[in-house]
Amino acid sequence: MKGSAEALRFTHSYMFRYRYRILIAQALLLVSRLLGIAIPLIVRELIDFGILHNDPRLLLGSAALVLLVGACSAGLLYLGKHIRYEVSGRAVSDLRHDLLGHVLSLGQGEADEASGGHALTRLTSDSAGLRGVINGGFGEIVNQALMAVVLLVVCLVLDVRITLIALIPMIVAAVLSMRIQFRLVRVFMEIRGHFSALLSGVVESLANAPVIKAFGREAHSEEKLGGINEVMAQRRREMRMRHGAYSSVTSFINALPMPVTLWFGARAVSGGQISIGTLVALFALVMMLQMSVHMITMDANGVLHGMVNGDRLLRLMNAPPALLAGGEGRQAPPLTGRLSAEGIRAEIGGRAVLDGVDLRVEPGEFVTITGPTGGGKSVLLQILARLSDPAAGKVRYDDIDAADLDPQSLRQQVLCLPQRQWIFRGTVGDNIAFVRPDASQSEIGAAAAQAGIGHLPLDRELSGGAADLSAGERQRVGLARALLVSPVILLLDNPTANLDGETEARFIDTLLELRSTRTLIVATQQPALARHADRVVTLVDGRISGPEATGLIAAMSTGRTAND
Amino acid sequence: MTDAALPRVTPVASDIGMTLRTIVRRFAPYLRPNKVVFTAALLTTVLYTVLGLFEMYTIMIGISYIVVGNMVAISAIALQLVAIALALSLLRLVNTAVTVRLNQRMTVAIRQDLISRLHRLSLSTNGEQISGAWMSKVLFEADRFRDFLTSRLLGILHSVVWFVAVAIFLLSISPKVTAPTLVALPLMAYIAFRRVRSMSGEWQQQREEWDHVVGYLTQRLEGTPDIRAFGRERAVLAEFDALAERYRKIHTGLAQRRVSLASYLDFCVYIALALLIFFGGLQIEHQGTLGNSLFFRFAAGMMPMTWALLGANSMMAAMGMASGAALAAGTLAAFVLFTKRMLNPVRDISHQLGEFADLKVSTGRILDILDLPPESVQGATLGAVSGHIEFEHVSFSYAQGTPVLRDISLEISPGEHLAIVGPTGAGKSSLVQLLVRYYEPDSGTIRLDGHDLASLAPPSVRANVIVVAQEAQLFAGTVMENIRFARPEASDDEVIAAARAVGADEIISALPKSYATQAGDRGTRLSVGERQLVALARAMLADRQIVVLDEAVSSVDPARQLAVLAATRKLLAGRTAIVVAHWLDLVREADRVVVLDHGRIVQADTPARLLAGPGRFTELWTAQNRPAGGERTTSDG
């Protein structure tokens, strides 16, 4: 329940930003609806005095009044909804902006909620749920409730007995509807989860298609996703069926006020207690009241669904960002390239990856970080570049605490190139310039040439996933990106893992050219690269250990002796 | 920048009927097995509509009886209303049951076909045409399609039946008065159609803008690590905001236009009501017989036309004119009561037709995927092979004009351990991908145990050859589940044995929950090296006669790489093995090394002989093992 309240608070905070406009829309819509109450009353006068008492002037007057009321009501309805749609569209955009911003702040592998399909469902369909919350939701419930109260008062004034009798089935139907909706909200939540899982599964299958084919497991994957599909459809069907069964009962109960009003009304008319006009008006008003009560239950359902969506969104928003300190630090001053780390600790998925790492790197120094697989090299690089914050410890650039600096301003000077380069569909030039869209063609060309992909035409179209680029070329697109930014501290994660000797040698040459002007920190397992470093730091089990003690150096030596 | 996710949208043809025919033709196979359910859905919808009309008619009569004060008749009417309500709710229950069933069956079937097609595409299609974004959109489309089936299709039927029922009803009461009304109905339909057509372009545009948003999101979500690394978050957000803003504008605009239509129709109800009050009232006052003055004759002639144009309320007008004052008063009252309900079908049908444009886009996309050619599973089935491979003048390119492999001829004997080396981009990975028929060569022949690969069914080829790629692709799930993916029936012990055999057991055991550790979405919770070891263990569990390791452990530390390969070699004794590697230490134990450069084989011999003489291999070796040099040679490491 606490979670639900939080989810509601979260979604409504976006609505609250536009509270004045929403209030205006509310007021307009309420007046538009209240005006509708006038029509049965006009018809009452018309029947009792105009038609039954032969007063043609009243006919014309009533017709004109109805037109006037209609024009006002329709106009206000239009204005009110116009404003509401405007506001809900903006609020959804705001929400999506915040969601994407948060997703981009999350560390890798930490938040399953933020992975591929899950994040996509939240950014698209779950967030669209906010529209329903604003256009329906509490605002509409309040309006309909006010409308119901006014209708009830008018009905009671017209005839207490008929109103009260007609009210009984209405309340019973409303209570029943609410009951089933409360019950089904859990199923609705489950279905949303299934959909999200299905989407994730499809995205995963597409990404892993080669593996699925390699093991001939197409049928298995199909079955797995098909299973989710079946279960989801089954649950949806159950939900619909239960809802259908209930609503056929409630619709029967809801139909009862009509014959009840008709019968009791007819008796009252024949007994002379009320006029025919009053009965017709009462009839119309009871139906309107019924509609209002029905709408309240519908909108309550909307709120429940909004709560489910809100809860899903909140789970994503509550995933802790990679950077613990807020993003709004001060702008990074020009840095010299000095970097120090003290007592760095980090864990991923409950597993301690770094356990008290100290490191000091001087401007212009070329340091390689080596160590066995799973030793924490990549995580350390991420922390050194302030892509994520450590659980404990501090990183400083020129003795400035990294946590005090605005991360985005830092990226122009401290850059960590991931091991796997992201290639999106577009030209080679687009892919390089994504890091600095203002770069000129010649700058892009120069970066590409320096990174060793000068032979690729900048306007060559790459497919998403870049099946047509070799691993080395991919790596070099990444390097070209880095060169275009030209940071003072450049961190590279295993950049030559997939390069052949010659390409690696050329890559190293490029790095060696770079090091005169900047600090280089490279995580690597390649002996060739480590050999060129000013210093080799070895990371074993999350701690820096003496270089000579490691198996890696032994392996490097064998490599070297074999050659020498 | 081109957007990967830009869908190939079939343009909204101006001819709705044409596309509708296509939709019906293509989706009929899904409907056919559900004929009974579909018929039941149609039938109950029709019955429901007719009964609804009857309910309104009964209330009209009831009010008329009140006017004349017939209590016995009123009691009967009240009971009749209860009976109708009961019948309506029963019918509603049946209708829900059949539509839900129809819905579920068809969506499940369509989605299942989409999923199935996705798994049966050849990799070349996959890379070129399908992005995750596109596919996920299609899943959304299937949902839209479902909504269309239940709410729109049956909704349109409801509206149409409503119109037809009203027409028959009116004709039975007064053919003379009704005739002009019926002429007006097609006119109304035309006006509704025109209005919808004017919006259909915007529907289409809205969908396109939405696709841009989804496409952009999917791509950027994939690139999150890079976006963060380069500090491009704000730029990405700004780009996203711009796209979202464009979508918001068109979406809001369309919603507002729909509201304007709804408000206009609302106002029409009031106009109709005002006219009815005036003309209907006049008639009742004159006991149904209007005077002979020109004004009254004009009024009488105009009424059905007016109602028809305003929204099919000619029934009321016709009833008012045909019967006496009592019935007319009832009509008037009923009209006040039911205006909304009467006009809803008019409003709905225009909405429903509007969404037809949307449906065309949805179905078009579903068909785009279903029509992609699946990878052929035709061909001879291959039994167990000895592992003899021949490449004969094989050439290959991903894109025309940029050859990746040129005239490769190579024979690999059963049980041979062959290494393929060469500079980046030489075509090493492409060569091994041809071997499992992920791609087809442009020319030349590949033979497996003497059988032309092209004549063999790809699944049966893959049952004999396994390629372990450099990029270890894992699934969300535990490490154990990921390894077992290769052979679902394998016991825990077999899985652990496979991991141990390649030297991955030590690394996996060090994970927090050992084999039960969650790998995370696509393995992101493991380091790249760990992922590679898991993938290698998985391949070993598959137990294939031909094993290709394509830079399979390149991200594992060197000491472990050597150990893992040594272990793997032992495991592969007697099997054909191809090792693609750039770290040449790894290939020193191979029986033979093939050096590939610019898509051609430039050298092939034992490693020792290759190293002994000059050539490409020696060059690569020297480059990899050159001592530290350059202007800065100080090293304290």
Side-chain angles (χ1 to χ4, degrees):
Chain A
M1 204 56 217
K2 189 174 158 250
S4 311
E6 208 183 321
L8 281 178
R9 227 186 348 260
F10 172 69
T11 39
H12 283 82
S13 67
Y14 286 91
M15 184 171 151
F16 203 65
R17 294 181 188 180
Y18 300 97
R19 55 189 172 279
Y20 297 116
R21 273 190 266 178
I22 286 183
L23 279 178
I24 292 171
Q26 286 281 106
L28 291 173
L29 290 170
L30 183 63
V31 175
S32 158
R33 297 218 170 89
L34 288 175
L35 277 175
I37 298 179
I39 301 294
L41 299 178
I42 294 172
V43 171
R44 171 186 177 223
E45 297 306 308
L46 178 73
I47 291 177
D48 288 351
F49 301 102
I51 295 175
L52 299 181
H53 295 96
N54 275 324
D55 185 351
R57 274 171 311 159
L58 201 63
L59 287 183
L60 196 60
S62 305
L65 199 56
V66 164
L67 268 185
L68 184 68
V69 167
C72 293
S73 170
L76 291 174
L77 180 83
Y78 173 70
L79 279 178
K81 289 211 168 173
H82 195 278
I83 295 173
R84 252 196 202 163
Y85 282 135
E86 184 69 33
V87 167
S88 61
R90 283 184 191 279
V92 170
S93 286
D94 293 350
L95 172 64
R96 288 193 174 132
H97 172 94
D98 288 359
L99 283 172
L100 182 61
H102 188 68
V103 167
L104 290 177
S105 77
L106 294 172
Q108 244 189 314
E110 269 300 297
D112 286 342
E113 295 291 336
S115 64
H118 289 295
L120 188 64
T121 338
R122 281 166 172 75
L123 274 158
T124 52
S125 62
D126 288 343
S127 52
L130 178 61
R131 210 173 269 136
V133 170
I134 294 178
N135 294 332
F138 283 123
E140 208 40 25
I141 290 179
V142 169
N143 260 4
Q144 293 288 1
L146 287 173
M147 173 86 179
V149 169
V150 174
L151 280 168
L152 189 63
V153 170
V154 176
C155 285
L156 286 172
V157 168
L158 290 180
D159 192 290
V160 178
R161 201 163 69 116
I162 298 176
T163 306
L164 290 180
I165 294 172
L167 202 58
I168 296 168
M170 265 187 251
I171 291 172
V172 172
V175 169
L176 275 178
S177 297
M178 288 304 296
R179 222 173 110 98
I180 182 67
Q181 280 163 7
F182 266 113
R183 281 194 191 171
L184 289 180
V185 76
R186 226 178 279 274
V187 188
F188 177 73
M189 193 184 261
E190 197 190 315
I191 291 169
R192 298 286 323 155
H194 285 313
F195 187 75
S196 188
L198 185 65
L199 201 60
S200 268
V202 165
V203 172
E204 185 182 64
S205 272
L206 270 171
N208 288 355
V211 178
I212 295 172
K213 284 188 184 296
F215 293 100
R217 301 273 282 146
E218 291 94 336
H220 159 85
S221 285
E222 259 178 67
E223 256 169 49
K224 197 175 106 191
L225 295 183
I228 301 177
N229 184 21
E230 287 273 3
V231 170
M232 180 170 79
Q234 183 62 35
R235 297 297 282 154
R236 192 192 290 277
R237 187 180 149 198
E238 283 165 24
M239 179 174 86
R240 286 283 163 93
M241 277 311 297
R242 278 176 66 187
H243 189 261
Y246 260 84
S247 57
S248 67
V249 173
T250 52
S251 74
F252 173 67
I253 299 173
N254 252 330
L256 292 180
M258 257 196 289
V260 166
T261 313
L262 191 75
W263 197 76
F264 282 97
R267 275 189 36 179
V269 169
S270 67
Q273 286 121 349
I274 56 170
S275 65
I276 290 191
T278 304
L279 177 62
V280 170
L282 197 58
F283 220 145
L285 291 168
V286 163
M287 281 177 70
M288 286 167 83
L289 179 59
Q290 199 176 6
M291 185 48 79
S292 277
V293 173
H294 177 66
M295 287 314 290
I296 290 174
T297 63
M298 295 294 285
D299 290 325
N301 197 31
V303 170
L304 288 177
H305 285 198
M307 214 151 69
V308 172
N309 283 327
D311 188 57
R312 287 172 53 79
L313 295 173
L314 208 55
R315 262 188 283 156
L316 176 59
M317 288 305 275
N318 284 343
L323 298 183
L324 306 171
E328 299 302 318
R330 65 184 168 107
Q331 296 288 307
L335 302 175
T336 63
R338 178 179 300 115
L339 178 152
S340 67
E342 277 166 39
I344 303 293
R345 279 170 215 283
E347 51 178 58
I348 288 184
R351 159 190 177 198
V353 186
L354 295 177
D355 186 17
V357 172
D358 298 315
L359 184 68
R360 199 176 165 82
V361 182
E362 292 306 320
E365 202 179 0
F366 176 12
V367 176
T368 56
I369 302 172
T370 59
T373 299
K377 299 185 292 293
S378 301
V379 178
L380 180 60
L381 281 195
Q382 297 258 320
I383 290 171
L384 291 181
R386 220 196 154 215
L387 281 168
S388 58
D389 278 338
K394 276 211 183 313
V395 175
R396 290 195 176 83
Y397 308 113
D398 290 344
D399 300 322
I400 307 167
D401 190 341
D404 293 339
L405 297 175
D406 170 57
Q408 298 232 16
S409 73
L410 204 56
R411 306 275 181 259
Q412 301 301 315
Q413 302 191 65
V414 181
L415 185 67
C416 175
L417 206 59
Q419 180 164 356
R420 195 193 134 81
Q421 307 305 319
W422 170 52
I423 305 291
F424 52 85
R425 185 176 280 199
T427 65
V428 172
D430 290 339
N431 267 283
I432 296 172
F434 123 84
V435 300
R436 237 190 73 202
D438 59 313
S440 68
Q441 281 303 102
S442 61
E443 281 176 298
I444 300 169
Q450 205 185 347
I453 40 168
H455 61 283
L456 292 179
L458 287 181
D459 58 357
R460 177 171 150 197
E461 283 285 336
L462 298 177
S463 63
D468 42 359
L469 279 191
S470 73
E473 286 166 338
R474 273 188 92 118
Q475 205 54 258
R476 283 164 172 280
V477 170
L479 188 63
R481 285 172 174 165
L483 292 173
L484 202 57
V485 175
S486 191
V488 180
I489 303 176
L490 178 60
L491 302 99
L492 303 169
D493 190 359
N494 220 351
T496 59
N498 306 317
L499 304 186
D500 65 276
E502 279 179 345
T503 317
E504 184 183 36
R506 279 201 295 274
F507 194 89
I508 293 170
D509 285 342
T510 312
L511 288 188
L512 293 176
E513 278 168 37
L514 292 178
R515 87 196 231 194
S516 53
T517 51
R518 69 202 81 220
T519 306
L520 275 180
I521 304 176
V522 182
T524 185
Q525 278 148 352
Q526 308 313 119
L529 189 50
R531 223 178 286 139
H532 293 274
D534 296 332
R535 189 149 55 102
V536 177
V537 170
T538 308
L539 208 55
V540 179
D541 291 336
R543 287 167 172 278
I544 288 180
S545 71
E548 53 293 329
T550 67
L552 173 93
I553 293 300
M556 285 177 179
S557 322
T558 42
R560 200 158 17 187
T561 24
N563 176 44
D564 293 344
Chain B
M1 195 182 302
T2 2
D3 192 332
L6 262 184
R8 297 178 299 130
V9 182
T10 34
V12 170
S14 46
D15 190 4
I16 283 187
M18 179 66 190
T19 319
L20 187 60
R21 248 203 314 278
T22 320
I23 294 172
V24 169
R25 187 171 53 81
R26 292 301 304 275
F27 288 92
Y30 291 100
L31 210 52
R32 219 163 281 139
N34 302 307
K35 250 188 295 188
V36 178
V37 183
F38 185 63
T39 316
L42 291 184
L43 216 63
T44 46
T45 306
V46 171
L47 270 176
Y48 191 80
T49 312
V50 172
L51 208 56
L53 204 63
F54 186 55
E55 186 190 27
M56 276 177 48
Y57 173 69
T58 310
I59 291 177
M60 276 163 49
I61 303 293
I63 293 175
S64 309
Y65 281 130
I66 295 177
V67 176
V68 294
N70 184 346
M71 263 321 276
V72 181
I74 288 166
S75 301
I77 290 278
L79 284 177
Q80 197 177 320
L81 278 177
V82 174
I84 293 173
L86 193 63
L88 272 175
S89 59
L90 282 177
L91 213 52
R92 188 191 174 114
L93 186 64
V94 177
N95 185 261
T96 309
V98 287
T99 48
V100 166
R101 173 165 290 249
L102 178 68
N103 223 323
Q104 182 213 11
R105 282 191 185 172
M106 284 191 63
T107 344
V108 166
I110 291 173
R111 220 189 261 134
Q112 218 75 309
D113 278 1
L114 285 172
I115 291 170
S116 169
R117 183 49 50 95
L118 149 78
H119 285 94
R120 310 280 163 181
L121 293 173
S122 82
L123 282 184
S124 45
T125 322
N126 186 336
E128 274 169 33
Q129 290 183 291
I130 300 197
S131 64
W134 198 32
M135 194 64 212
S136 48
K137 270 184 294 175
V138 168
L139 285 184
F140 285 120
E141 301 302 349
D143 254 29
R144 273 177 212 271
F145 190 75
R146 183 201 61 224
D147 288 342
F148 177 81
L149 260 186
T150 31
S151 40
R152 311 284 169 271
L153 196 64
L154 293 176
I156 288 178
L157 179 72
H158 170 78
S159 304
V160 169
V161 170
W162 182 268
F163 275 127
V164 173
V166 167
I168 293 173
F169 184 58
L170 289 177
L171 278 171
S172 68
I173 292 174
S174 167
K176 254 193 220 163
V177 181
T178 313
T181 312
L182 291 185
V183 174
L185 275 177
L187 186 70
M188 277 192 60
Y190 179 71
I191 292 170
F193 185 71
R194 280 296 295 266
R195 281 196 71 98
V196 164
R197 274 274 287 273
S198 76
M199 274 199 241
S200 101
E202 277 167 75
W203 273 105
Q204 171 84 2
Q205 210 184 331
Q206 179 185 320
R207 293 299 296 273
E208 278 169 15
E209 293 298 345
W210 179 239
D211 286 342
H212 282 119
V213 171
V214 177
Y216 184 83
L217 274 177
T218 317
Q219 276 210 340
R220 304 300 127 152
L221 288 176
E222 277 170 20
T224 307
D226 293 65
I227 291 166
R228 295 193 62 225
F230 288 100
R232 303 295 298 155
E233 293 97 323
R234 274 175 215 155
V236 165
L237 269 178
E239 279 173 9
F240 172 71
D241 284 346
L243 283 175
E245 178 63 10
R246 267 166 50 189
Y247 169 71
R248 185 193 68 77
K249 276 196 181 136
I250 182 104
H251 183 274
T252 306
L254 200 56
Q256 286 167 343
R257 277 190 69 175
R258 287 172 69 172
V259 170
S260 80
L261 180 64
S263 311
Y264 165 72
L265 281 165
D266 254 23
F267 183 53
C268 281
V269 177
Y270 290 104
I271 297 177
L273 189 56
L275 289 171
L276 183 79
I277 285 171
F278 186 66
F279 289 115
L282 273 182
Q283 273 183 284
I284 296 167
E285 283 179 6
H286 291 81
Q287 301 297 312
T289 49
L290 292 169
N292 270 332
S293 77
L294 188 65
F295 171 73
F296 284 121
R297 266 190 289 171
F298 176 72
M302 276 311 289
M303 265 182 57
M305 275 303 282
T306 322
W307 298 136
L309 284 170
L310 286 174
N313 293 293
S314 41
M315 171 179 74
M316 295 306 156
M319 296 254 330
M321 295 184 76
S323 312
L327 197 54
T331 306
L332 183 60
F335 187 75
V336 178
L337 298 176
F338 292 112
T339 38
K340 282 263 184 226
R341 207 164 138 186
M342 294 215 34
L343 277 185
N344 276 350
V346 185
R347 190 187 56 198
D348 291 349
I349 203 160
S350 54
H351 272 253
Q352 286 148 354
L353 284 175
E355 283 171 18
F356 245 116
D358 207 33
L359 173 83
K360 280 190 294 177
V361 182
S362 288
T363 46
R365 288 192 189 160
I366 292 174
L367 291 178
D368 273 350
I369 296 248
L370 291 180
D371 288 347
L372 283 176
E375 184 181 54
S376 162
V377 287
Q378 303 299 313
T381 310
L382 195 62
V385 296
S386 67
H388 184 217
I389 303 164
E390 292 160 280
F391 285 84
E392 207 178 280
H393 304 295
V394 171
S395 295
F396 172 68
S397 57
Y398 290 100
Q400 254 184 347
T402 43
V404 178
L405 295 173
R406 306 161 202 244
D407 197 32
I408 298 279
S409 290
L410 174 68
E411 185 174 354
I412 307 164
S413 329
E416 184 179 355
H417 285 193
L418 179 88
I420 302 178
V421 301
T424 307
K428 307 183 292 281
S429 297
S430 307
L431 185 70
V432 297
Q433 300 227 336
L434 292 181
L435 199 53
V436 275
R437 288 197 69 186
Y438 283 166
Y439 299 92
E440 301 297 327
D442 298 342
S443 64
T445 316
I446 304 170
R447 288 198 193 84
L448 188 54
D449 272 20
H451 304 281
D452 184 351
L453 216 55
S455 71
L456 300 173
S460 97
V461 173
R462 289 169 202 152
N464 284 292
V465 189
I466 185 91
V467 174
V468 189
Q470 173 190 95
E471 197 172 313
Q473 294 169 315
L474 301 190
F475 298 86
T478 64
V479 170
M480 179 74 81
E481 285 162 358
N482 266 290
I483 299 177
R484 191 178 280 135
F485 183 81
R487 200 148 60 80
E489 71 280 4
S491 68
D492 285 6
D493 289 340
E494 284 175 293
V495 168
I496 295 168
R500 191 166 291 149
V502 296
D505 179 60
E506 191 192 341
I507 292 278
I508 296 170
S509 300
L511 295 173
K513 289 187 182 164
S514 186
Y515 284 84
T517 307
Q518 287 290 336
D521 182 52
R522 291 190 232 169
T524 42
R525 285 197 179 173
L526 305 181
S527 78
V528 184
E530 287 164 347
R531 261 179 257 169
Q532 286 189 331
L533 289 174
V534 171
L536 184 63
R538 177 173 68 186
M540 290 306 133
L541 188 66
D543 191 25
R544 303 281 199 265
Q545 184 59 26
I546 301 170
V547 178
V548 182
L549 305 182
D550 183 2
E551 303 274 18
V553 284
S554 59
S555 293
V556 176
D557 62 83
R560 196 172 293 278
Q561 272 195 55
L562 287 172
V564 164
L565 271 192
T568 311
R569 249 193 307 271
K570 231 181 275 171
L571 205 65
L572 296 179
R575 298 173 205 233
T576 307
I578 301 174
V579 176
V580 177
H582 64 269
W583 190 34
L584 301 178
D585 275 339
L586 293 179
V587 307
R588 280 164 53 185
E589 305 293 323
D591 297 332
R592 189 157 55 117
V593 176
V594 168
V595 185
L596 221 55
D597 198 1
H598 289 100
R600 291 181 199 279
I601 295 179
V602 293
Q603 272 185 304
D605 212 330
T606 63
R609 275 209 287 267
L610 283 177
L611 257 185
R616 203 70 186 88
F617 187 74
T618 315
E619 283 169 30
L620 288 169
W621 184 278
T622 314
Q624 195 161 67
N625 294 287
R626 68 173 178 160
E631 63 284 5
R632 290 179 62 162
T633 45
T634 44
S635 169
D636 50 8

